[in-house]
């Protein structure tokens, strides 16, 4: 158990809909990262927050947005969902915001768009 | 971020040591080498990291060459549960750096 908690574990929704994925980082970690992993694909970095502020951005679609709240939990919002958005979405956390920190991953949220 | 190169796949007999290589020839002096693994569809798991000296923990050993241009992750007694994709990462030390996962090495442990 990494200490990173993600909810929901599984989610099935229809095209065009909007969903929110939630992440609670490890106790004491200030930085949160979001990754997407499509079937048999690699881990794609989406976005990183550090202490409530956006720190780094990857290949995140405009339909997707994220935020980190004062209690340090984070949410990834996915809207106007398409079939291709079906994937595993991982959240990770680290103590610091620089990339020289060890990051710890949650078990992911499986999103299926039908 | 320094680029890393890993073989796409390897296999190892159960009970033997699994040695996973990684080249990171563009690594700079203050950059760490990190290893993670992902067991099928689970969250990636941190294994070990190092800067210059060899490191060992309860999961693995990390051997870094003197010129730091390559490293080897050693699983001393591989089991079937070690079957996973192993990622070698040199994330750099920049606030703007992103931790990018490459293709990794798919390690298969045969009984």
């Amino acid at each position: 158990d990494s200490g990173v908690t993600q909810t929901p574990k599984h989610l099935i929704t229809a095209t065009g809909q909007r969903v929110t994925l939630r992440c609670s980082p490890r106790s004491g970690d200030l930085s949160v990262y979001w990754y997407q992993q499509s079937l048999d694909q690699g881990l794609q970095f989406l976005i990183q927050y550090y202490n409530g502020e956006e720190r780094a951005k990857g290949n995140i679609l405009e339909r997707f947005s994220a935020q980190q709240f004062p209690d340090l939990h984070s949410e990834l919002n996915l809207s106007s969902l398409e079939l291709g958005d079906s994937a595993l979405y991982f959240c990770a956390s680290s103590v610091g915001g620089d990339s020289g920190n060890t990051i710890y991953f949650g078990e992911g949220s499986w999103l299926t768009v039908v | 971020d320094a680029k890393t190169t890993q073989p796409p796949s390897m296999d190892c007999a159960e009970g033997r040591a699994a040695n996973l290589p990684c080249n990171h020839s563009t690594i700079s002096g203050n950059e760490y080498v990190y290893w993670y693994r992902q067991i099928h569809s689970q969250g990636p798991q941190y294994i070990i990291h190092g800067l210059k000296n060899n490191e060992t923990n309860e999961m693995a050993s990390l051997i870094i060459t003197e010129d730091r241009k390559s490293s080897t992750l050693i699983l001393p007694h591989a089991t079937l549960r070690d079957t996973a994709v192993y990622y070698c990462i040199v994330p750099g030390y920049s606030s703007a750096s992103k931790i990018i996962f490459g293709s990794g090495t798919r390690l298969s442990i045969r009984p």
Side-chain angles (χ1 to χ4, degrees):
Chain A
D1 181 7
S2 67
V4 179
T5 304
Q6 290 187 245
T7 57
K9 287 187 169 38
H10 299 272
L11 188 58
I12 301 175
T13 190
T15 54
Q17 295 298 306
R18 172 190 170 95
V19 299
T20 297
L21 309 180
R22 182 188 169 100
C23 171
S24 294
R26 294 186 325 151
S27 177
D29 284 0
L30 298 179
S31 196
V32 169
Y33 309 76
W34 286 98
Y35 288 82
Q36 179 194 54
Q37 188 171 37
S38 302
L39 190 64
D40 291 331
Q41 297 295 311
L43 286 153
Q44 298 294 318
F45 171 76
L46 295 179
I47 198 163
Q48 177 200 1
Y49 279 82
Y50 176 73
N51 205 19
E53 300 288 329
E54 183 183 303
R55 193 67 175 251
K57 210 166 188 175
N59 300 320
I60 187 167
L61 299 173
E62 284 191 13
R63 300 183 285 109
F64 296 179
S65 65
Q67 54 184 329
Q68 186 179 27
F69 295 86
D71 67 353
L72 301 176
H73 91 271
S74 177
E75 293 181 355
L76 179 67
N77 300 296
L78 314 174
S79 62
S80 303
L81 285 167
E82 303 174 359
L83 296 178
D85 297 327
S86 296
L88 249 179
Y89 291 85
F90 288 108
C91 172
S93 72
S94 65
V95 172
D98 295 332
S99 55
N101 287 269
T102 299
I103 60 173
Y104 295 90
F105 283 80
E107 287 307 310
S109 292
W110 277 99
L111 173 66
T112 302
V113 182
V114 297
Chain B
D1 298 350
K3 181 176 170 56
T4 63
T5 304
Q6 300 177 253
S9 63
M10 295 182 63
D11 66 64
C12 176
E14 190 175 18
R16 304 298 295 269
N19 297 286
L20 292 92
C22 179
N23 286 320
H24 31 78
S25 57
T26 61
I27 195 170
S28 60
N30 61 352
E31 291 180 323
Y32 282 79
V33 180
Y34 280 78
W35 285 82
Y36 293 82
R37 73 179 182 183
Q38 186 177 25
I39 297 170
H40 182 62
S41 296
Q42 295 181 20
Q45 178 187 25
Y46 165 77
I47 301 173
I48 198 168
H49 73 282
L51 182 63
K52 293 182 184 178
N53 300 320
N54 299 337
E55 302 287 346
T56 295
N57 63 20
E58 65 278 4
M59 288 182 67
S61 294
L62 174 61
I63 308 297
I64 302 174
T65 58
E66 194 169 340
D67 63 8
R68 305 211 323 119
K69 292 185 177 181
S70 65
S71 60
T72 301
L73 179 75
I74 301 172
L75 308 177
H77 305 288
T79 72
L80 296 177
R81 288 179 296 178
D82 293 320
T83 294
V85 178
Y86 287 76
Y87 299 96
C88 167
I89 300 169
V90 179
Y93 204 79
S94 162
S95 62
S97 292
K98 312 147 195 173
I99 299 177
I100 305 298
F101 286 74
S103 302
T105 295
R106 185 173 296 275
L107 177 67
S108 300
I109 307 299
R110 58 180 189 274

